[in-house]
Amino acid sequence: MKKTSTRLADGRELIYYDLADDTVRDAVDRRPLDATVTTSEIRRDELLGDSVAIASHRQGRTYHPPADECPLCPSEGDRLSEIPDSSYDVVVFENRFPSLAGDSGRCEVVCFTSDHDASFASLGERQARLVLDAWTDRTSELSHLSSVEQVFCFENRGAEIGVTLQHPHGQIYAYPFTTPRTALMLRQVAAHKEATGGENLFDAVVERERAGERVVLEGEHWVAFVPYAAHWPYEVHLYPKRRVPDLLGLDEAARTEFPRVYLELLRRFDRIFGEGEPPTPYIAAWHQAPFGQLDAFDGVTRDDFALHLELFTIRRTSGKLKFLAGSESGMNVFINDVPPERAAERLREVASS
């Protein structure tokens, strides 16, 4: 992998990740852009103890442009985009309309391929590995920023999820705090550790699931399963078998196997609802240990956390979505219409050829 960092016309950082070590990236952003102005602010909810990002400048972000005006495609002739070069393998750049900025963190866009009509599931294994390497590199770089406590790599896929740009891409949020969902996990890990005399909760969960009926697929270094208490109609958790706190901890064997396992999982997701159905909308979310102090979680260290990816869709059956209505949105109590055992069975049935 070759990494080349440059700057866009408004000062934002852009980084090319290339498969070939001899690739030259010297294209200049020719757009007449003013400096980016953001109004991101983090506000603390005293009753719930969580944080909300107020980012009014995002109201003006690009919304469903036609394909020939896609800002994530390479620049070509007089059609200038966020990527100055006429081609690329993988690109990461600072979001022009970030939810988090400055002392409130950082937001980046990750373009998985220059092919506008592709999807992550259609990538080859070398390309998917390059994306993994980019995620890992950005996790490392962002962890050194003084304003960053946790790094979150994710992909939103599909209009039903709220995606406004159809080009295959994901995002990276670098939060200035430990996110509420991670804090919940850490509290559970701490309680289990104390109750069992030191057993790791993540290890116990993975061991139990591997012995059960909800495993979807398993490789030498990775295992994917539908969790016992899945919140979403089709939800899969993907874990490396050797517990590590973040992407930086993966060894070469796990990195090599990841593309094959993950691409197989995504391709099965697109088969859940049968042939002729539109692509399955999903969220793919990497959970990594925070880089800040964990003093609030009794006796828990970063090494107690387990890196994993959670993949889920909001589609519950053909043509029908799972809406977060009263119980889910009002009280955060999920009601799942699809038994996790049946979801796992379906995902095994639709193994890609």
Side-chain angles (χ1 to χ4, degrees), residues 47-243:
L47 290 178
L48 296 180
D50 60 8
S51 298
V52 177
I54 309 296
S56 59
H57 62 277
R58 284 175 54 78
Q59 287 281 33
R61 66 188 185 273
T62 308
Y63 187 80
H64 292 297
D68 60 358
E69 296 178 17
C70 175
L72 306 186
C73 287
S75 292
E76 185 176 354
D78 293 331
R79 191 187 64 76
L80 305 179
S81 73
E82 289 280 67
I83 295 90
D85 216 327
S86 59
S87 66
Y88 65 85
D89 290 337
V90 172
V91 162
V92 177
F93 60 88
E94 289 184 76
N95 198 321
R96 191 175 180 184
F97 305 97
S99 302
L100 309 167
D103 293 338
S104 297
R106 177 159 157 151
C107 292
E108 298 182 341
V109 176
V110 184
C111 298
F112 302 141
T113 171
S114 61
D115 184 353
H116 181 84
D117 297 318
S119 67
F120 202 118
S122 71
L123 301 181
E125 291 188 14
R126 288 188 70 217
Q127 187 75 10
R129 168 61 190 266
L130 186 61
V131 176
L132 174 63
D133 290 341
W135 283 331
T136 305
D137 181 71
R138 296 316 300 154
T139 296
S140 176
E141 293 292 327
L142 293 170
S143 72
H144 291 99
L145 298 180
S146 60
S147 62
V148 172
E149 188 166 313
Q150 186 173 5
V151 179
F152 175 46
C153 306
F154 65 100
E155 180 192 2
N156 296 328
R157 193 269 189 106
E160 300 95 327
I161 297 294
V163 174
T164 58
L165 298 176
Q166 298 309 307
H167 195 104
H169 73 287
Q171 299 180 66
I172 302 175
Y173 277 22
Y175 298 101
F177 50 79
T178 296
T179 60
R181 188 175 177 88
T182 301
L184 282 173
M185 291 185 198
L186 290 169
R187 284 196 285 272
Q188 290 297 104
V189 169
H192 186 85
K193 190 174 184 178
E194 181 178 4
T196 60
E199 182 181 62
N200 183 273
L201 178 58
F202 286 108
D203 291 349
V205 167
V206 172
E207 181 179 359
R208 182 178 66 241
E209 293 290 2
R210 287 183 66 193
E213 59 181 317
R214 289 180 296 275
V215 172
V216 174
L217 60 89
E218 186 168 1
E220 184 178 354
H221 304 284
W222 294 85
V223 60
F225 55 83
V226 177
Y228 171 74
H231 288 58
W232 299 94
Y234 292 91
E235 174 182 340
V236 176
H237 293 189
L238 177 63
Y239 279 79
K241 291 183 179 179
R242 183 179 68 87
R243 173 166 44 92

Side-chain angles (χ1 to χ4, degrees), residues 11-33:
R12 289 175 295 133
E13 185 178 19
L14 179 142
I15 306 155
Y16 294 97
Y17 293 90
D18 286 296
L19 291 167
D21 291 337
D22 59 352
T23 303
V24 176
R25 298 294 184 188
D26 55 8
V28 176
D29 185 2
R30 295 180 283 127
R31 296 172 298 171
L33 298 180

Side-chain angles (χ1 to χ4, degrees), residues 240-305:
K241 291 183 179 179
R242 183 179 68 87
R243 173 166 44 92
V244 296
D246 51 40
L247 289 165
L248 302 172
L250 293 174
D251 60 22
E252 182 57 30
R255 292 180 185 281
T256 299
E257 186 181 69
F258 171 78
R260 178 181 63 79
V261 173
Y262 186 49
L263 291 172
E264 169 70 15
L265 198 55
L266 292 180
R267 290 161 187 167
R268 292 190 190 193
F269 251 60
D270 273 344
R271 288 176 165 84
I272 293 174
F273 304 104
E275 297 296 329
E277 287 290 318
T280 301
Y282 66 73
I283 293 174
W286 280 109
H287 291 263
Q288 307 192 79
F291 288 95
Q293 296 296 317
L294 301 183
D295 298 340
F297 310 100
D298 300 333
V300 172
T301 69
R302 292 192 79 250
D303 289 336
D304 289 317
F305 194 86

